[in-house]
Amino acid sequence: MIGDDVALPVLLGFGHDGWALALIAGAGLTMALSLTAMAIGTVLGALLTVAQMSRRGWLAALAQGYGLVLRGVPELLVVLLLYFGTPGLLAAIAALAGLPAPGSPPAFLTGSVAIGLVSAAYQAEVFRGGLLAVPRGQVEAAIAAGMGPFTRFRRVIAPQVLHHVLPPLGNIWQFNLKDSALVAITGLAELMRVSLVAAGSTRRPFAFFAAAMVLYLVLTSASSAVFRFAEARAGRWAGGR
Amino acid sequence: MMGESGTGESGFLADTALAIVAAVPVTLALFVACAVGASLLAGVLVAAQQGRVGGLVARAWIFVFRGTPLLLQIFMVYYGLAALGPVRHGPLWPAFRDPLFCAFLAMTCCCSAYIAEVLRAALAAIPPGQIEAARACGMARWTLGRRIVVPQMVRLALPAYGNELVMMLKSTSLASSVTVLDVTGVAQQVIAHSYRTVEVFCLAAAVYLGLTAALTWLLRRIERRLDPAGGR
Amino acid sequence: MTETRPTVLRARGITKRFGDREVLRGIDLDAARGDVVSILGGSGSGKSTFLRCLNLLELPDAGTIEIAGSPAPLAHDARGRARIANPRALNALRAKTAMVFQNFNLWSHMTVIDNIAAAPVHVHGMARAEAVARAHDLLDKVGMTGFAGHWPRQLSGGQQQRVAIARALATDPDLMLFDEPTSALDPERVREVLDLMRALAGEGRTMLIVTHEMAFARDVSSHVVHVRDGVIESMGPPALMFGPDASPVFRGFLSPP
Ligand SMILES: Nc1ncnc2c1ncn2[C@@H]1O[C@H](COP(=O)(O)OP(=O)(O)OP(=O)(O)O)[C@@H](O)[C@H]1O
Ligand SMILES: [Mg+2]
């Protein structure tokens, strides 16, 4: 785009030659990607927790195996595998149904699913720990008091589980946020990708990577502030412990 | 496609598996170097946190390296620093030109921040009464550190420290992004001229799975060694 | 406090503030070899703080301490804040004392035998083999034969406290400090620890004991000290303190209206 002769403030600014807007848009996409991944991870993680605690041995083993594999393989490989693997997989499925190959799914989708799959493995562990932390006697007391399953969950289990899981969930969120940078290799224009493109085309890698670092720091510290606030609220909800 | 059945198919997979396994030493070397470097650096960070000025520096270090993606840090070291005159024309240029060294440097800095947090938590978890008991019988500072604080810290830190090591082992795969030919790097190289993406990445994933399982097993054994009463 | 026996402890004017709260307001206490001094008093009166000042786990703001002939290396800076003048002398002073805590404080990363042998080896420089042999003797003495290889968390509270007492005895201290050694124990475990302490008193050990066990204080101690609001309200032999001529304040403490 622009050569070495343009001044750094201009390159980092909002003007015609500046990258500020692109970087901020990238940060927004990073945020959207991480949020989607976190949501996928929460839903799948909850399902995995239920499966892990199931009395059906094969189901519990399956959930456990999922966790072992996804926590034992680099996140980068999961992202790569999904990005390169899904078009073939979709084509195979389509062929079975006698349809033409649907082409590649959007990078945002494969990226957030990849990070979400990993996130689910970690979130399942957290949920299980949270459930186990509720003393069995308290659940029995709730049953003895005549609470139905829903009331029991809403009034006795959920507040305590939430109190236990929020800090580790905050940690997982931070990892999601940072792992989302891996999706840059698929070409999705999130923050990491934008900084790479900017660094390449302006030949000012130091400045643009530093700018990206600052933006990531803003995202991570802002979200940890949100989690601290939520933890304080959940603490009060669970009886100030 | 048609002709590539039977021996051709299994031949390709066997060749790929061999190539990937041959890259395991690179991954392991990077991991061990980072584990040693990051642990030492983390020790320094925790020590620095005991002082006021050092505490500020250590806090900033931990904030930056825990708050940004490792991939970005690796690019920063390999491409970002290389663009700076003092680095490019300095005496360390041969090192900074080497992608393996840059990956090692970035990973060591990053992991040191995580391990420092683990160590700090372990230090805070030592029962103060046990330190008091040591002071009450006249143990000198150094003896107290060596006989009471460090052994307790190691025991308390070990589970979380082990998790960090597993994370670190997985993170070594990011080195491939700056052309290091580790397990992931070799896998990508094979893919570049065979286009057999899924099989090759699955092979690489299996190798990592084996490595992390072995590391987890080793850590569990060490934990048991150190604490034979096993939390009873 | 008899002239013929050597003085083991000599504390004068011990004063300690936490913030603007004066917790100790000038305590004087002497103990001769073989004395068993029970320190009684209400909660928050400063008993623990006093005991912890004696081995400088807390630094007194004023006062002097001398244990077995060595003065405590206390100094005060320009603003009157206490500090350690000489760390080496501090450790030497502490090596002459031993402390038994309310919640045992056994080192959880060491087996029973290593807990007992640690101070002889790492503070007094005794050979390990000798320290271990002596530790085994001490285990027999506190009735814990056969527990050498156990870990602290495998023991009951009473057993842990007996090991802690063996650990305290291991350095053959001139002065033993006990801070409510039975307060964290079940009633049936209290006896085993009190019996052991009674035996130690019979051997002529010099002991300062903060306790709420009145019967023990009356039967075993040579002196009873009543601390109230950071000063010694009254003191004397148990026959006097538990008799009709005791101070009314102390009588009020023993049997509140
Ligand atoms: N480290 C400290 N910082 C601030 N205040 C303290 C500290 N230690 C003790 N205190 C205060 O000093 C006072 C005396 O405490 P101390 O522990 O000596 O009492 P005690 O006589 O041993 O009581 P108890 O019988 O309950 O053990 C208390 O009011 C306590 O709150
Ligand atoms: Mg007390």
Side-chain angles (χ1 to χ4, degrees), chain C residues 43-44 46-49 52 102 179-180 210 212:
Chain C
S43 186
K47 309 179 296 287
S48 298
T49 305
R52 293 161 57 81
Q102 181 173 348
D179 191 1
E180 302 196 29
V210 173
H212 292 296

Side-chain angles (χ1 to χ4, degrees), chain C residues 43-241:
Chain C
S43 186
S45 54
K47 309 179 296 287
S48 298
T49 305
F50 174 63
L51 220 56
R52 293 161 57 81
C53 279
L54 295 182
N55 61 2
L56 303 190
L57 284 181
E58 304 285 0
L59 296 188
D61 296 310
T64 59
I65 297 163
E66 199 182 297
I67 290 172
S70 315
L74 273 173
H76 297 270
D77 64 16
R79 288 156 65 192
R81 265 187 321 213
R83 60 179 184 83
I84 301 294
N86 175 353
R88 207 163 248 223
L90 168 72
N91 290 332
L93 185 90
R94 283 173 173 168
K96 292 181 175 188
T97 69
M99 189 169 229
V100 176
F101 300 85
Q102 181 173 348
N103 42 11
F104 332 130
N105 290 343
L106 291 179
W107 294 307
S108 51
H109 62 294
M110 297 182 186
T111 57
V112 163
I113 201 78
D114 286 336
N115 260 281
I116 301 173
V121 172
H122 300 308
V123 179
H124 296 256
M126 190 186 283
R128 206 185 134 72
E130 188 190 348
V132 168
R134 289 198 29 175
H136 276 288
D137 293 344
L138 285 168
L139 272 185
D140 294 344
K141 183 185 174 102
V142 300
M144 292 289 292
T145 315
F147 284 89
H150 280 60
W151 296 83
R153 70 166 82 89
Q154 297 174 314
L155 307 179
S156 75
Q159 291 173 327
Q160 287 191 52
Q161 195 60 300
R162 284 187 281 154
V163 171
I165 291 175
R167 176 174 73 175
L169 288 168
T171 54
D172 196 17
D174 293 293
L175 176 66
M176 297 181 80
L177 308 169
F178 294 79
D179 191 1
E180 302 196 29
T182 59
S183 292
L185 300 180
D186 306 333
E188 64 265 35
R189 305 283 182 190
V190 170
R191 256 267 301 284
E192 60 191 46
V193 171
L194 288 185
D195 285 348
L196 175 57
M197 290 171 62
R198 201 182 298 261
L200 295 182
E203 286 173 14
R205 291 267 166 204
T206 315
M207 301 158 55
L208 253 59
I209 308 166
V210 173
T211 184
H212 292 296
E213 298 288 335
M214 296 306 163
F216 178 83
R218 188 184 57 217
D219 300 343
V220 179
S221 35
S222 53
H223 299 79
V224 173
V225 173
H226 179 218
V227 177
R228 191 187 146 98
D229 288 339
V231 292
I232 293 181
E233 181 274 327
S234 62
M235 62 186 290
L240 174 79
M241 294 292 281

Side-chain angles (χ1 to χ4, degrees), chain A residues 10-91:
Chain A
V10 174
L11 287 177
L12 286 171
F14 287 90
H16 178 67
D17 293 337
W19 285 84
L21 275 180
L23 285 170
I24 289 170
L29 197 52
T30 286
M31 208 53 196
L33 187 66
S34 313
L35 279 171
T36 314
M38 189 76 187
I40 294 173
T42 301
V43 173
L44 187 56
L47 289 177
L48 283 169
T49 308
V50 173
Q52 263 183 33
M53 298 188 135
S54 146
R55 257 175 229 129
R56 254 164 267 178
W58 62 270
L59 193 59
L62 199 68
Q64 219 140 16
Y66 177 91
L68 278 181
V69 171
L70 269 286
R71 278 181 279 120
V73 169
E75 292 78 1
L76 177 63
L77 274 186
V78 180
V79 172
L80 286 171
L81 197 54
L82 245 73
Y83 179 65
F84 290 112
T86 33
L89 187 70
L90 289 180

